[in-house]
Amino acid sequence: MKNKINEAFRNIRAEEQLKQDTLKCIYKEADKRRGIYRRKTALAACASLFLIFFMGLLSYNLYFTESAYIDIDVNPSIELTVNRLDRVIGVYAYNEDGKEILRTLELKHKKYSEAVSVIISEMEQEGYLMNNGLVSATLRTDWNEGTRLTSLERTVTKSLKEHHNSSEHEIYTVDDAIKKQAEEENVSPAKYLAIAELQKIVPDATVEGCKDHSISDIREEIHNHESETDNQENQGGSEDSHHDHSGREKESRHKDEK
């Protein structure tokens, strides 16, 4: 650029000092403009880097923010923490059987439907998921509840069919209160509700005493106590009927004698 300016000034007749002073002013202005351009470029680059950092931070927070909890209980009891993108960001085992299932599985960052399918497959292979058993799965979510519940139901059903397993399954949602109470007892929501149902019939039953049993076993215990209670009531009713009938016979005979 300086060469072009020098060539232009060769054709101008003026005092040498004036020409030199003019050239200095031109060079100074050019340097000033280049400085302004460099500063603008630097500011634009900084703004771009800040925007990239901000978007990255926002994406990170979005990805690692819990949106749902899926608890699967056969007897291995396992919890999956899921983000809004339906990706698994946390895995937890409530008991030793659950730890054994998770020992060789890599579930983080998978779609939750894939993770559930892998868990059921592993349970079946390890002999935890017997035919005619029970798979309980609960969902606690703050977003898209209907779609997620349908997807979970579909995943469990498909996984059982793929292994030709005839186990029954129950899939339902739980609220924050039930989820929190279950967490305090370190059991899945499904097992917590099953134990609570048993305690209505057997008041001295405890969570600690039942937490290592499968939900299927707890439900069977409930059924046995209900059947026993029904039999006792039926027997009591029969005895009352017998006493009432005998009393009527005595009363009838007494009237006849008169």
Side-chain angles (χ1 to χ4, degrees):
M1 183 177 178
K2 287 185 177 182
N3 291 334
K4 291 181 179 180
I5 294 172
N6 288 329
E7 290 177 2
F9 267 79
R10 287 195 190 102
N11 299 322
I12 299 175
R13 292 182 179 181
E15 291 183 5
E16 187 63 26
Q17 186 60 44
L18 180 59
K19 291 168 66 176
Q20 292 299 324
D21 291 343
T22 303
L23 283 171
K24 287 180 181 180
C25 288
I26 293 173
Y27 294 151
K28 185 176 180 181
E29 184 65 24
D31 289 340
K32 182 180 178 181
R33 291 185 179 183
R34 281 196 295 270
I36 294 173
Y37 175 76
R38 283 195 294 267
R39 284 194 294 273
K40 287 183 177 179
T41 303
L43 287 173
C46 289
S48 297
L49 288 173
F50 177 78
L51 182 61
I52 292 172
F53 173 78
F54 178 76
M55 293 302 295
L57 184 62
L58 186 64
S59 298
Y60 179 88
N61 288 335
L62 175 64
Y63 190 91
F64 287 101
T65 297
E66 300 90 344
S67 178
Y69 296 93
I70 296 173
D71 292 273
I72 304 169
D73 209 313
V74 171
N75 181 32
S77 299
I78 294 171
E79 177 189 80
L80 300 176
T81 304
V82 179
N83 65 14
R84 282 211 172 196
L85 303 175
D86 292 338
R87 296 282 177 174
V88 176
I89 57 174
V91 182
Y92 178 73
Y94 288 101
N95 54 17
E96 291 301 319
D97 288 343
K99 291 177 182 178
E100 184 63 24
I101 289 294
L102 295 177
R103 187 172 57 84
T104 59
L105 301 182
E106 293 291 338
L107 301 177
K108 283 188 177 181
H109 312 303
K110 292 182 181 294
K111 283 280 191 178
Y112 74 78
S113 55
E114 181 182 356
V116 169
S117 181
V118 169
I119 289 172
I120 291 178
S121 177
E122 187 71 12
M123 286 181 178
E124 203 278 337
Q125 291 178 20
E126 294 298 321
Y128 290 103
L129 191 56
M130 306 299 290
N131 282 321
N132 302 317
L134 175 64
V135 178
S136 295
T138 61
L139 170 69
R140 206 291 293 164
T141 180
D142 60 9
W143 181 72
N144 212 12
E145 181 179 287
T147 301
R148 283 178 161 177
L149 185 63
T150 301
S151 175
L152 183 58
E153 166 78 30
R154 187 184 303 116
T155 298
V156 173
T157 302
K158 180 181 177 182
S159 298
L160 292 173
K161 285 183 178 180
E162 286 176 349
H163 293 284
H164 306 288
N165 191 288
S166 60
S167 292
E168 295 182 2
H169 62 276
E170 54 182 14
I171 318 293
Y172 54 93
T173 60
V174 294
D175 58 24
D176 289 336
I178 294 298
K179 177 63 178 170
K180 183 178 180 180
Q181 290 167 2
E183 285 179 349
E184 290 174 353
E185 299 289 354
N186 195 37
V187 294
S188 71
K191 186 169 288 186
Y192 174 82
L193 291 172
I195 295 172
E197 187 178 349
L198 175 63
Q199 288 173 327
K200 293 177 182 178
I201 303 171
V202 186
D204 59 347
T206 64
V207 174
E208 190 63 31
C210 298
K211 66 193 310 181
D212 290 329
H213 295 277
S214 68
I215 295 179
S216 182
D217 289 342
I218 296 171
R219 294 275 175 79
E220 184 177 355
E221 187 72 12
I222 293 170
H223 176 72
N224 290 340
H225 277 85
E226 287 178 340
S227 297
E228 184 179 341
T229 301
D230 289 342
N231 289 335
Q232 290 175 351
E233 290 178 352
N234 290 333
Q235 289 176 0
S238 297
E239 291 177 359
D240 291 342
S241 176
H242 176 70
H243 290 320
D244 183 59
H245 183 65
S246 298
R248 287 176 181 175
E249 287 182 346
K250 290 179 181 178
E251 184 180 354
S252 176
R253 284 197 298 270
H254 182 68
K255 288 180 179 180
D256 292 340
E257 289 175 357
K258 287 183 178 181

